[in-house]
Amino acid sequence: MEHEDQEAQKPLLATAAGSSGDGCRGAASAASSSSIAAVVASTAVAVAGSFEFGISVGYSSPSQPGIMRDLDLSLAEYSVFGSILTIGAMLGAIVSGTVADRVGRRCAMAISDLLCILGYLLITFSQNFWWLDIGRFSTGCGIGLLSYVVPVYISEITPKNLRGGFATVNQFMICCGASLAYVLGTFITWRTLAIIGVAPCLLQLVGLLVTPESPRWLARFGYPGEFEAALQKLRGKGTDISDEAAEIKDFTEQFQHLPKSKMLDLFQKDYIHAVTVGVGLMVLQQFGGVNAICFYASEIFVSAGFSSGSTGMLAMVAVQIPMTGLGVVLMDKSGRRPLLMVSAAGTCLGCLLVGLSFLAKEDHWGKDLNILLALAGILIFSGSFSLGMGGIPWVIMSEIFPINMKGAAGSLVTLVSWLGSWIVSYAFNFLLVWNSYGTFFIFATICGLTVVFVERLVPETKGRTLEEIQASMNSSLTGPFHK
């Protein structure tokens, strides 16, 4: 721990060898600014995909009345349209790790953009539900791939001192995209909203032309010249990258002698801790009830006694964005574990309050109490989830798996996340009919178990290089990385 604290306190960027005096301080400052600017620009390009992700998730809710009216769809047909996004995302998740490893992080994002553009164009010009569903499925495949490659790319290009905050911008942009889709959908037609969904993809495609590839991917797949050029571009022209480059090279070389990884290899002793943490966080994230509350918040407000769900939904948007922003700020200050435990405890409280609101309604405690408990519960849940549980599991997933297993592990973890999302979304209405308050008490229990899981199993990754994190979780690695 003392070593980690010392590492975290080191300057973000090393100055060039042999520098001294005021002139060199100015050069170091310029190099630092150059580095931060390069990382910020590259991250901005990557999270355009996160914004697209958010728009796609938020698209179906405000578009429902217009699509059903214009294309004469039944509720069942529209339900297929809404849910097929998740099916496409699961398919995208299955191949996400393989695609990102085979063609690189940048090309994987470009493929995602093309799938999303195709999907939204099909939706925009569709005249029947077949083209509508094919378009939605294509968009789902794109965001399934994006949900893996964006956090991985960000974690691989950022310095350890800033990695957590930068990686959490992924969740912040998802939240912004979903909020924008919900707000704009109340004012514009569903076809116009679909055209807007193309814009982030086009911006990202243009940005990818000048964005450097992940240095760690280049090192892993044998591009030594490009690897150092990409790392130098990200760290600034005046920065000495020799130590960081040597660390990445040495760590990568340890995996060159290992056989090509397969999905079953993840369950070997060397990787089981990382797999348990990655999969466990995604299971707990999804089965804590987030999609039940996000997808059906309007219905929950009405069921709890609101005359309309619109007020509550707008309140959710108002809470989610600033709380996600707060999480970005705190990520590299407080660390992953404390923020995760506070976030999970908050979601537990939120679910308890929503459950109590349904219990109050069933036992006739008073309508005002129902409404107060439901509003407080959903806002506390949304704010707490946005603070940590929404983004940190993806940050940790991008940090804990070594480069030789990252493709297979990323596919598994992303698939688990989307499968859990589909299960909860599909089962929620049935659970609500079975026992409304009991459903939320179950969610609260799972959120409470998340606190225990994080305390017992999740490592703190703040202020550590990816190589240090991965070596500490892999018993087969020895030498300077194993700490």
Side-chain angles (χ1 to χ4, degrees):
M1 289 297 295
E2 182 179 354
H3 171 79
E4 292 169 17
D5 291 339
Q6 291 171 351
E7 287 293 315
Q9 291 169 4
K10 288 182 180 179
L12 170 61
L13 298 164
T15 59
S19 62
S20 61
D22 294 338
C24 290
R25 289 193 194 98
S29 176
S32 177
S33 300
S34 173
S35 171
I36 293 175
V39 174
V40 168
S42 300
T43 301
V45 171
V47 297
S50 308
F51 194 74
E52 172 66 23
F53 184 152
I55 288 177
S56 300
V57 170
Y59 177 83
S60 59
S61 179
S63 301
Q64 180 172 352
I67 291 177
M68 291 182 66
R69 180 186 64 249
D70 294 348
L71 299 184
D72 194 27
L73 300 186
S74 65
L75 182 59
E77 287 172 332
Y78 191 82
S79 296
V80 171
F81 169 74
S83 62
I84 204 169
L85 179 83
T86 310
I87 306 299
M90 283 192 279
L91 179 60
I94 291 171
V95 302
S96 60
T98 302
V99 171
D101 278 354
R102 290 279 179 84
V103 302
R105 312 322 190 200
R106 292 167 63 230
C107 285
M109 285 187 274
I111 292 170
S112 303
D113 291 332
L114 294 176
L115 287 169
C116 290
I117 289 171
L118 173 63
Y120 274 117
L121 289 177
L122 288 172
I123 291 172
T124 301
F125 298 106
S126 61
Q127 298 299 322
N128 56 62
F129 71 91
W130 287 110
W131 290 111
L132 198 70
D133 290 348
I134 293 171
R136 185 73 165 164
F137 180 80
S138 177
T139 303
C141 292
I143 67 170
L145 185 52
L146 282 169
S147 63
Y148 165 73
V149 72
V150 170
V152 166
Y153 175 76
I154 294 172
S155 74
E156 290 180 348
I157 67 169
T158 48
K160 62 182 180 181
N161 310 62
L162 299 175
R163 189 177 59 244
F166 273 66
T168 315
V169 176
N170 172 53
Q171 181 64 26
F172 179 75
M173 294 304 290
I174 291 173
C175 180
C176 289
S179 300
L180 180 68
Y182 180 78
V183 172
L184 289 181
T186 61
F187 300 107
I188 62 179
T189 68
W190 59 274
R191 295 187 191 273
T192 305
L193 187 59
I195 293 174
I196 290 174
V198 174
C201 300
L202 295 176
L203 289 174
Q204 186 174 59
L205 282 173
V206 173
L208 288 172
L209 296 174
V210 295
T211 300
E213 180 56 88
S214 160
R216 288 176 170 87
W217 182 84
L218 292 169
R220 171 69 177 88
F221 291 95
Y223 298 94
E226 292 88 339
F227 153 65
E228 293 194 359
L231 187 60
Q232 190 71 69
K233 183 176 181 179
L234 288 164
R235 298 297 178 260
K237 291 182 179 180
T239 304
D240 180 4
I241 62 168
S242 57
D243 289 344
E244 185 177 4
E247 183 178 14
I248 294 171
K249 284 180 182 177
D250 291 346
F251 191 77
T252 302
E253 286 173 1
Q254 295 192 46
F255 292 105
Q256 298 298 337
H257 306 294
L258 297 177
K260 188 176 179 180
S261 63
K262 299 177 182 177
M263 188 72 75
L264 290 177
D265 294 336
L266 290 170
F267 301 97
Q268 295 177 0
K269 180 182 177 182
D270 290 339
Y271 308 114
I272 196 65
H273 183 197
V275 170
T276 302
V277 170
V279 171
L281 284 175
M282 292 303 174
V283 169
L284 293 167
Q285 181 196 60
Q286 295 300 329
F287 285 87
V290 59
N291 281 321
I293 287 182
C294 289
F295 289 176
Y296 300 101
S298 181
E299 181 182 331
I300 292 169
F301 282 124
V302 172
S303 298
F306 278 77
S307 58
S308 167
S310 298
T311 302
M313 288 295 292
L314 291 174
M316 276 183 62
V317 171
V319 166
Q320 284 176 338
I321 293 178
M323 289 301 288
T324 306
L326 180 62
V328 172
V329 173
L330 293 178
M331 178 70 70
D332 287 311
K333 295 182 181 296
S334 66
R336 282 53 153 170
R337 279 164 47 87
L339 207 56
L340 261 180
M341 288 191 280
V342 169
S343 174
T347 58
C348 178
L349 175 60
C351 286
L352 281 174
L353 292 176
V354 175
L356 287 173
S357 76
F358 281 101
L359 183 61
K361 181 181 179 183
E362 188 170 304
D363 291 347
H364 307 289
W365 293 357
K367 183 177 180 181
D368 291 341
L369 182 60
N370 301 350
I371 294 174
L372 180 62
L373 287 171
L375 182 60
I378 288 182
L379 293 185
I380 289 173
F381 181 96
S382 300
S384 299
F385 185 86
S386 299
L387 181 66
M389 279 302 295
I392 295 179
W394 292 101
V395 175
I396 292 177
M397 179 276 293
S398 69
E399 294 175 326
I400 60 176
F401 295 111
I403 192 72
N404 68 313
M405 299 302 298
K406 190 164 280 188
S411 294
L412 175 64
V413 171
T414 310
L415 175 62
V416 167
S417 176
W418 282 107
L419 181 60
S421 172
W422 178 77
I423 290 171
V424 173
S425 303
Y426 179 79
F428 178 68
N429 279 328
F430 299 104
L431 290 171
L432 211 58
V433 171
W434 165 70
N435 189 318
S436 57
Y437 61 86
T439 298
F440 286 96
F441 290 159
I442 291 172
F443 290 153
T445 301
I446 294 172
C447 293
L449 290 173
T450 304
V451 179
V452 179
F453 180 86
V454 172
E455 197 277 330
R456 295 288 182 180
L457 292 175
V458 177
E460 180 55 72
T461 60
K462 167 191 158 188
R464 303 166 71 189
T465 67
L466 296 182
E467 289 70 31
E468 289 171 350
I469 296 164
Q470 293 154 17
S472 70
M473 302 185 74
N474 189 330
S475 60
S476 67
L477 291 175
T478 57
F481 301 111
H482 197 78
K483 299 172 182 176

